[in-house]
Amino acid sequence: MTLKIVIDQEAASAPFEQLRAQIAERARAGVLPVGYKLPTVRGLAEELGLAANTVAKAYRALEADGVIETRGRNGTFVAAAGDAAERRAAAAARTYAEEVRRLGLSREAAQAAVSDAVRAVYGD
C-alpha cells in the first residue's frame, strides 16, 4: 500500500496543509488502516519533493489531532483517531458556544457563523 499523496504547488493551501489533510482524510476513511506505518519524515519529504521540515510540521499536526502516533524509533503509525477527533471537535464546539454566548450572540447568529465558517473551509 502506498500513500499516493499529491501536492499541488499552485494550490492556495500550503504543502504541509495539503499533506496533513490528505493523510487525515485517508486515515479517517479507513484507506490507511489503524496501525499502518507511515514513511519517515525524510523519506516522504524526498518522495514528494518537499523540505523535511514541511513533512515534520504535517506529522506534528496529525499527531496533535490524534490521527497518527509516533512510537519512538519504531516509526509513525496511523492511530485509532475517530474517537479522539470527535472528542476534540466536541470540545472545540463547546468552547465556541460558550464564547459566543458570552458575546451576547443569539443561537441563530452563532449557528449562522458556524455555517459560514464550514462553507468557507469545505468549499460548499
Side-chain angles (χ1 to χ4, degrees):
M1 175 186 304
T2 60
L3 285 178
K4 298 179 186 169
I5 301 292
V6 177
I7 303 298
D8 180 0
Q9 297 296 338
E10 304 297 318
S13 59
F16 97 90
E17 176 56 27
Q18 293 178 52
L19 176 59
R20 186 210 60 77
Q22 289 179 53
I23 291 174
E25 172 65 29
R26 290 185 178 120
R28 290 194 175 109
V31 175
L32 296 176
V34 171
Y36 175 80
K37 186 174 182 177
L38 294 167
T40 64
V41 167
R42 287 185 187 188
L44 187 55
E46 186 176 304
E47 180 182 325
L48 297 175
L50 297 173
N53 285 340
T54 300
V55 175
K57 185 176 180 180
Y59 275 20
R60 282 191 304 272
L62 288 162
E63 192 159 21
D65 291 345
V67 176
I68 64 173
E69 59 187 11
T70 301
R71 300 179 192 160
R73 292 182 167 228
N74 291 323
T76 304
F77 299 84
V78 173
D83 292 338
E86 290 169 8
R87 281 193 306 274
R88 288 196 60 189
R94 181 167 182 88
T95 299
Y96 169 78
E98 290 169 351
E99 180 67 18
V100 295
R101 186 171 187 187
R102 268 193 297 278
L103 293 171
L105 269 67
S106 68
R107 179 186 302 243
E108 293 77 19
Q111 289 173 331
V114 168
S115 292
D116 291 344
V118 169
R119 226 181 343 273
V121 170
Y122 285 88
D124 292 336

